[in-house]
């Protein structure tokens, strides 16, 4: 009877090389079947080369360790060496020199891969390609699992444990894959057949030499295929496996899971790191391009024709202040989500109409990437420097629903990228007549009830939904005036698209004289206002509309030759701030998002006379009465008073005119302060508005007769006020103002309004701490209207002549102003300012 070898190393002479080769080959086939599961996530065959080479190199490491009986430390050192030497070629080919040799960038990527590659592979939209270190998932997992699995099968008899390692790789391909699978039935059947066959063969081959098999009667060759019984068993088992496999493949359609119950994918549970709500809506910067960058070269784009639209961002939610960019951090939300995309991979299957454009950034800044067409198929960064391309590829995001592209790190001058896209095609007349609105989920808009009834009336009852929207758009632009409100010869047109601005466009032409900073009424504006108004009114009656901001390609001065039959003459266009525009897109069934120009023509003049351009409403001034001589010389036919009534008229006029002038002065002072308060509260950035709120408090103190020391900081001034009037909350206001002005973060627009609400409450508290006659005197005071320089000079001169002021007296002076007959001690005892 043959004695079985029980030594620790199966590489001894008792283990046949043929059995060892079969083990390696079958285990390698199982690893290959598991590797194929990464195909939907990576796309192409680049990942497969990485996985196969990781399997080969891992097998070599396991063979060397088994041959020389190395321990874990030596095998680990060899594994690290293989990882570093071959990793640049197979795990970081984009950063490797010539795609083969290690470089500083590839070694840096390999060093970070064990930590960063897992997140990168899950946050990039499939197919993830080969850049950004995403190949590290295949390289690390396959190399490590292969070394472990091959070492177990070569150095021990615990072969079932070795089978667990390709199974782990299979589960990893599912976790890092997508909800789609690659040949699931074929791969599953092959994996099961090879596993069962190999494990059964190893089980029979591992029977102890002294044990008598219940099936094999000849104990000389246990587990061998030389006996008829074993041959029959092997043949029967093989036939059963083949029959089961063929049945499974033929019935794979019945084995598919029901729709809506697809498999689990980890990437669907990962929150993308880009949230557009953290950024200002690009539509708020519309007028800024025309004012500050009208002639600046923002970027150039090739392969486009005059009149084409370059998209910056699509906005699908209105909150009564601004139209916000589509997208959230939740992929299943109505807006969808921005997902990371890979550089140099096909995001969509291209069509025959695909076109290519190259964008070169110059003076344009921001995170929104200019794109063209109705769908982006591919983004290439080959024109950038390697370091800049690496940083950009790690921050590329795309919103699939709106086709809004983002570089979360922000673009820089000199950035170059290539776009492959599907051009936009306008619907034909037949398609327009049969068009119906699509049932597409959109986030809820803030309701403006005044617009709904008017929108229903203007849209009409046309049989075509396309015609209904056109009716609404034409009604909005009827009798409208196009104006940016920048040039002197243009009609007054305020920027912004808040609810008050849009509602003013629905009023009869004129001016809202009820406010100090009156805005024009009537449909006057540019693409910003008309696009927002059209989209808001359309959404109010259930039309799926959104606002898109971008640029219109101007006339290209030099057009290269194009082949006969080309769709249109295209060339390289230079985009400036004057080319900024906005349009409305509406979703129709079978047509997708259709573009509409919402604004009237730039030379359009309304049928009714437009109101005269007025910068600000002027106060009413009483007209002087005619002279007595003129009145006495008039005839009776004129119906004027006679000379005898002149003394009475003069007496009345001498009384009324001073009173009218005094009232006019009072109204002018109150109006000036109201205008100043309104400008501080509504104009400029959030930091400017917050600083204006603090200045409002300082001006009130000045009018009350206690001008603050300009040399003190906000915190010092607030500390003085807090001592006598803690209910005012001056310390919190000063702290918030310092944060807004000097803080590093960009505050939302709502911050400014909340701060002003606190400012008005503090002003009321401050006014309530003084008698009524001081409040009246402060309201009519001109102290705060003087220039800051004048006040600073006065304070400097007075501080040079006055004795030092203690903290206690300064505190009371800051709140109460000049002393009154009442002593400060008595006032402090009663708990209120004197």
């Amino acid at each position: 009877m043959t004695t079985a070898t029980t030594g620790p190393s199966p590489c001894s002479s008792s283990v046949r090389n043929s059995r060892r080769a079969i083990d390696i080959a079958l285990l390698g086939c199982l690893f290959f079947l598991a590797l194929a599961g990464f195909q939907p996530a990576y796309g192409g065959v680049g990942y497969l080369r990485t996985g196969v080479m990781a399997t080969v190199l891992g097998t070599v490491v396991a063979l060397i360790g088994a041959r020389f009986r190395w321990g874990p430390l030596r095998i680990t050192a060899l594994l690290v060496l293989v990882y570093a030497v071959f990793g640049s070629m197979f795990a970081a080919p984009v950063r490797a020199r010539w795609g083969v040799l290690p470089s500083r960038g590839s070694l840096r990527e390999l060093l970070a891969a064990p930590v960063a590659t897992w997140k990168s592979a899950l946050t990039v939209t499939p197919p993830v390609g080969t850049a950004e270190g995403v190949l590290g998932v295949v390289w690390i997992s396959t190399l490590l699992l292969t070394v472990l699995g091959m070492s177990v099968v070569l150095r021990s008899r615990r072969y079932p444990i070795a089978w667990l390692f390709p199974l782990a790789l299979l589960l990893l391909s599912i976790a890092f894959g997508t909800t789609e699978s690659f040949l699931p039935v074929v791969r599953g059947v092959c994996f099961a057949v090879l596993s069962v066959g190999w494990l059964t063969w190893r089980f029979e081959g591992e029977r102890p030499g002294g044990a008598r098999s219940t099936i094999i009667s000849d104990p000389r060759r246990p587990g061998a295929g030389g006996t008829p019984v074993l041959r029959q068993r092997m043949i029967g088992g093989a036939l059963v496996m083949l029959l089961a496999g063929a049945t499974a493949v033929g019935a794979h359609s019945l084995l598919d899971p029901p729709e809506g119950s697809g498999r689990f994918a980890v990437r669907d549970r990962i929150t993308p790191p880009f949230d557009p709500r953290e950024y200002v809506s690009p539509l708020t910067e519309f007028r800024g391009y025309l004012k500050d960058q009208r002639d600046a070269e923002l970027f150039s784009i090739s392969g486009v024709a005059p009149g084409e639209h370059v998209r910056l961002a699509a906005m699908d939610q209105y909150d009564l202040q601004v139209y916000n960019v589509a997208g959230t951090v939740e992929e299943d939300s109505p807006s969808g989500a921005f997902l990371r995309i890979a550089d140099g991979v096909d995001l969509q299957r291209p069509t025959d109409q695909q076109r290519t454009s190259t964008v070169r950034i110059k003076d344009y800044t921001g995170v929104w990437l200019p794109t063209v067409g109705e769908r982006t198929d591919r983004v290439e960064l080959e024109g950038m420097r390697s370091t800049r391309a690496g940083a950009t590829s790690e921050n590329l995001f795309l919103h699939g629903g709106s086709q809004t592209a983002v570089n979360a790190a922000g673009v820089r001058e000199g950035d170059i990228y290539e776009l492959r896209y599907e051009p936009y095609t306008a619907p034909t007349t037949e398609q327009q007549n049969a068009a119906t609105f699509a049932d597409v989920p959109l986030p809820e808009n803030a309701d403006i009830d005044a617009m709904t009834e008017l929108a229903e009336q203007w849209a009409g009852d046309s049989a075509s939904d396309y015609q209904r929207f056109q009716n609404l758009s034409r009604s909005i632009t009827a009798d409208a005036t196009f104006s940016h409100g920048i040039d002197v010869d243009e009609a007054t047109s305020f920027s912004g698209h808040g609810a008050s601005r849009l509602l003013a466009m629905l009023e009869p032409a004129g001016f809202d004289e009820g406010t100090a900073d009156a805005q024009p009424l009537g449909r006057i504006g540019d693409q910003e206002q008309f696009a927002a108004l059209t989209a808001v009114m359309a959404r109010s009656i259930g039309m799926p509309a959104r606002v898109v901001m971008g640029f219109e390609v101007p006339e290209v001065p030099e057009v290269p030759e194009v082949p006969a039959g080309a769709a249109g003459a295209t060339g390289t266009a230079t985009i400036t701030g004057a080319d900024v525009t906005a349009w409305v897109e509406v979703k129709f069934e079978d047509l997708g998002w259709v573009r509409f120009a919402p604004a009237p023509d730039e030379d359009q003049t309304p049928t009714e006379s437009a109101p005269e351009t007025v910068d600000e409403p002027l106060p009413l001034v009483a007209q002087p009465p005619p002279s007595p001589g003129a009145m006495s010389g008039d005839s009776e036919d004129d119906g004027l008073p006679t000379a005898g009534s002149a003394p009475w008229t003069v007496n009345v006029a001498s009384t009324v005119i001073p009173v009218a002038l005094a009232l006019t002065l009072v109204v002018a002072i109150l109006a000036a302060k109201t205008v100043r308060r309104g400008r501080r509260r509504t104009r400029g950035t959030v930091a400017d508005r917050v600083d204006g709120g603090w200045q409002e408090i300082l001006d009130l103190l000045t009018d009350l007769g206690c001008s603050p020391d300009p040399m003190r900081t906000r915190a010092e001034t607030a500390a003085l006020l807090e001592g006598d009037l803690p209910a005012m909350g001056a310390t919190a206001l000063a702290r918030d103002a310092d944060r807004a002005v000097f803080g590093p973060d960009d505050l939302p627009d709502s911050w400014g309004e909340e701060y002003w609400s606190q400012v008005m409450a503090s002003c009321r508290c401050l006014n309530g701490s003084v008698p009524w006659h001081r409040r009246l005197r402060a309201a009519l005071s001109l102290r705060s209207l003087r220039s800051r320089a004048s006040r600073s000079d006065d304070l400097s001169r007075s501080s040079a002549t006055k004795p030092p002021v203690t903290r206690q007296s300064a505190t009371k002076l800051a709140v109460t102003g000049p002393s009154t007959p009442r002593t400060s001690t008595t006032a402090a005892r009663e708990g209120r300012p004197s």
Side-chain angles (χ1 to χ4, degrees):
M1 182 177 296
T2 304
T3 303
T5 301
T6 59
S9 176
C11 294
S12 60
S13 58
S14 62
V15 179
R16 297 185 302 277
N17 289 333
S18 59
R19 195 199 74 177
R20 190 178 296 117
I22 293 175
D23 288 341
I24 293 174
L26 288 176
L27 203 60
C29 290
L30 294 179
F31 275 114
F32 179 80
L33 291 173
L35 276 173
F38 287 103
Q39 201 280 334
Y42 283 86
V45 295
Y47 84 96
L48 201 57
R49 181 178 72 111
T50 300
V52 170
M53 292 308 302
T55 304
V56 173
L57 294 173
T59 302
V60 172
V61 171
L63 284 171
I64 294 175
R67 173 65 181 81
F68 298 102
R69 299 188 181 183
W70 283 358
L73 292 180
R74 292 184 177 181
I75 293 179
T76 301
L78 180 60
L79 183 62
V80 172
L81 180 63
V82 170
Y83 175 83
V85 172
F86 296 96
S88 297
M89 184 187 307
F90 301 115
V94 175
R95 296 183 181 271
R97 186 174 286 107
W98 304 305
V100 176
L101 299 179
S103 65
R104 181 181 302 178
S106 65
L107 293 178
R108 189 186 303 114
E109 188 171 296
L110 287 175
L111 186 63
V115 177
T117 186
W118 318 100
K119 180 181 179 180
S120 298
L122 289 174
T123 55
V124 176
T125 305
V128 298
T130 58
E132 306 178 36
V134 295
L135 284 176
V137 173
V138 176
W139 173 249
I140 295 175
S141 58
T142 306
L143 187 62
L144 182 61
L145 292 175
T146 300
V147 170
L148 294 175
M150 294 297 181
S151 298
V152 170
V153 79
L154 290 173
R155 307 183 69 172
S156 73
R157 290 191 176 94
R158 299 176 180 177
Y159 54 89
I161 296 179
W163 173 80
L164 295 177
F165 293 102
L167 179 63
L169 186 63
L170 178 65
L171 297 177
L172 195 67
S173 69
I174 296 174
F176 281 82
T178 65
T179 53
E180 299 179 359
S181 55
F182 178 70
L183 301 176
V185 176
V186 176
R187 289 175 45 243
V189 169
C190 292
F191 195 93
V193 170
L194 290 178
S195 299
V196 173
W198 177 62
L199 293 175
T200 302
W201 175 74
R202 283 300 307 268
F203 175 77
E204 291 294 338
E206 290 293 329
R207 287 182 181 277
R212 182 178 298 275
S213 174
T214 58
I215 299 178
I216 304 174
S217 59
D218 185 3
R220 294 176 299 172
R221 302 276 309 274
T227 61
V229 175
L230 182 57
R231 283 196 299 269
Q232 293 176 5
R233 183 180 181 185
M234 293 177 62
I235 294 173
L239 291 175
V240 171
M241 294 295 295
L242 290 175
L243 180 62
T247 303
V249 172
H252 73 278
S253 59
L254 301 177
L255 301 177
D256 290 338
E259 185 177 357
S261 60
R263 67 179 189 172
F264 172 83
V266 177
R267 70 179 62 254
D268 294 337
R269 305 300 189 271
I270 297 296
T271 300
F274 180 79
D275 186 357
R277 293 174 296 187
E278 298 178 0
Y279 299 84
V280 178
S281 172
L283 194 59
T284 60
E285 303 174 0
F286 188 94
R287 199 66 66 88
Y289 284 108
L290 297 168
K291 287 183 177 179
D292 307 326
Q293 294 182 298
R294 173 176 292 190
D295 299 323
E297 181 181 346
L298 302 179
F299 57 89
S300 63
I301 182 169
S302 64
V304 292
E308 287 194 60
H309 287 73
V310 180
R311 175 191 306 264
L312 274 189
M315 291 141 278
D316 68 350
Q317 187 174 29
Y318 186 66
D319 60 2
L320 300 182
Q321 299 295 329
V322 295
Y323 242 111
N324 292 314
V325 175
T328 65
V329 296
E330 301 175 1
E331 189 174 0
D332 55 352
S333 69
S335 288
F338 281 85
L339 302 179
R340 286 186 62 189
I341 59 175
D343 160 38
V345 299
D346 289 330
L347 307 175
Q348 303 285 347
R349 180 173 297 179
T351 66
D352 297 337
Q353 303 296 323
Q354 187 186 72
R355 288 163 56 179
T356 302
S357 293
T358 301
V359 181
R360 291 175 172 83
I361 303 296
K362 191 172 182 183
D363 291 340
Y364 171 73
T365 58
V367 298
W368 317 105
L369 279 183
T371 59
V372 198
E374 64 179 358
R375 192 187 73 187
T376 301
D377 293 340
R378 188 184 182 100
V379 180
E380 294 274 4
L381 303 178
E382 293 183 355
M384 289 189 188
R385 301 187 306 272
S386 59
T387 54
R388 181 59 182 164
T392 301
S393 63
E394 294 173 358
N395 292 278
L396 277 181
F397 294 85
L398 180 69
H399 189 280
S402 65
Q403 292 299 301
T404 300
V406 166
N407 179 0
V411 300
R412 296 180 183 175
E413 183 177 357
D415 285 355
I416 302 175
Y417 59 94
E418 184 180 276
L419 294 171
R420 298 186 185 179
Y421 62 95
E422 303 297 330
Y424 171 75
T425 303
T428 62
T429 304
E430 293 77 8
Q431 291 174 327
Q432 296 176 12
N433 295 332
T436 57
F437 293 130
D439 185 12
V440 56
L442 291 174
E444 291 293 333
N445 270 3
D447 294 331
I448 303 180
D449 297 334
M451 292 187 179
T452 304
E453 183 178 353
L454 192 59
E456 288 282 3
Q457 176 184 349
W458 285 353
D461 299 326
S462 177
S464 170
D465 286 345
Y466 190 96
Q467 186 62 41
R468 289 188 65 218
F469 181 82
Q470 279 195 325
N471 293 340
L472 174 62
S473 180
R474 290 169 181 167
S475 299
I476 293 175
T477 57
D479 297 333
T481 301
F482 185 94
S483 173
H484 293 304
I486 299 176
D487 298 333
V488 178
D489 57 348
E490 287 186 314
T492 302
S493 173
F494 288 172
S495 62
H497 52 280
S500 61
R501 179 70 173 91
L502 299 186
L503 288 173
M505 296 178 68
L506 301 179
E507 298 292 336
F511 274 88
D512 183 9
E513 299 181 357
T515 61
D517 50 349
Q519 63 175 331
L521 302 178
R523 292 193 283 282
I524 303 175
D526 52 19
Q527 293 94 338
E528 176 191 358
Q529 289 77 40
F530 282 101
L533 178 62
T534 303
V536 170
M537 295 188 73
R539 287 291 307 278
S540 68
I541 56 176
M543 297 181 180
R546 67 188 184 193
V547 176
V548 185
M549 179 181 167
F551 302 89
E552 184 176 351
V553 177
E555 292 292 335
V556 182
E558 296 183 3
V559 179
E561 294 183 1
V562 294
T570 60
T572 300
T574 298
I575 305 299
T576 64
D579 301 320
V580 69
T581 187
W583 62 92
V584 176
E585 292 184 348
V586 182
K587 186 70 174 290
F588 293 95
E589 293 288 349
D590 302 327
L591 295 180
W593 291 96
V594 179
R595 298 175 182 175
F596 294 88
D601 296 335
E602 295 193 15
D603 57 353
Q604 178 170 326
T605 303
T607 56
E608 298 179 1
S609 58
E612 297 181 358
T613 302
V614 180
D615 294 332
E616 291 183 2
L618 301 176
L620 297 177
V621 180
Q623 298 295 326
S627 62
M631 290 186 296
S632 61
D634 292 333
S635 63
E636 295 181 358
D637 296 336
D638 294 333
L640 297 178
T642 62
S645 62
W648 175 84
T649 306
V650 171
N651 292 334
V652 173
S654 62
T655 305
V656 172
I657 289 177
V659 175
L661 291 176
L663 291 178
T664 300
L665 179 61
V666 170
V667 171
I669 295 174
L670 297 178
K673 292 185 177 182
T674 303
V675 170
R676 181 184 63 186
R677 186 184 305 113
R679 288 180 175 177
R680 287 174 173 176
R681 186 168 187 170
T682 59
R683 295 190 180 182
T685 63
V686 176
D688 294 336
R689 300 200 300 270
V690 171
D691 181 65
W694 179 257
Q695 295 299 326
E696 190 70 16
I697 295 178
L698 298 183
D699 287 342
L700 179 57
L701 289 172
T702 301
D703 290 336
L704 288 173
C706 45
S707 300
D709 188 349
M711 302 303 296
R712 290 195 186 101
T713 63
R714 292 190 184 93
E716 293 171 343
T717 303
L720 298 177
L721 295 173
E722 195 77 18
D724 270 15
L725 200 61
M728 181 181 173
T731 302
L733 289 173
R735 183 178 60 250
D736 292 342
D738 287 340
R739 176 186 175 186
V741 176
F742 303 110
D745 51 346
D746 294 328
L747 301 175
D749 288 339
S750 58
W751 178 281
E753 200 58 34
E754 293 176 2
Y755 186 84
W756 264 94
S757 299
Q758 300 173 10
V759 166
M760 299 308 295
S762 299
C763 290
R764 289 192 295 270
C765 180
L766 187 58
N767 276 322
S769 65
V770 298
W772 67 269
H773 57 85
R774 290 192 59 193
R775 289 198 298 270
L776 179 60
R777 187 170 57 190
L780 301 178
S781 174
L782 297 175
R783 293 191 184 98
S784 64
L785 295 177
R786 293 188 303 168
S787 65
R788 182 176 297 275
S790 175
R791 283 185 288 165
S792 299
D793 293 341
D794 294 343
L795 290 173
S796 299
R797 289 192 295 269
S798 62
S799 61
T801 58
K802 290 183 179 180
V805 183
T806 64
R807 180 179 180 88
Q808 180 178 3
S809 60
T811 302
K812 298 185 179 300
L813 178 62
V815 177
T816 62
S819 60
T820 61
R822 189 178 206 174
T823 63
S824 59
T825 306
T826 306
R829 186 181 302 116
E830 294 179 359
R832 61 179 183 273
S834 57

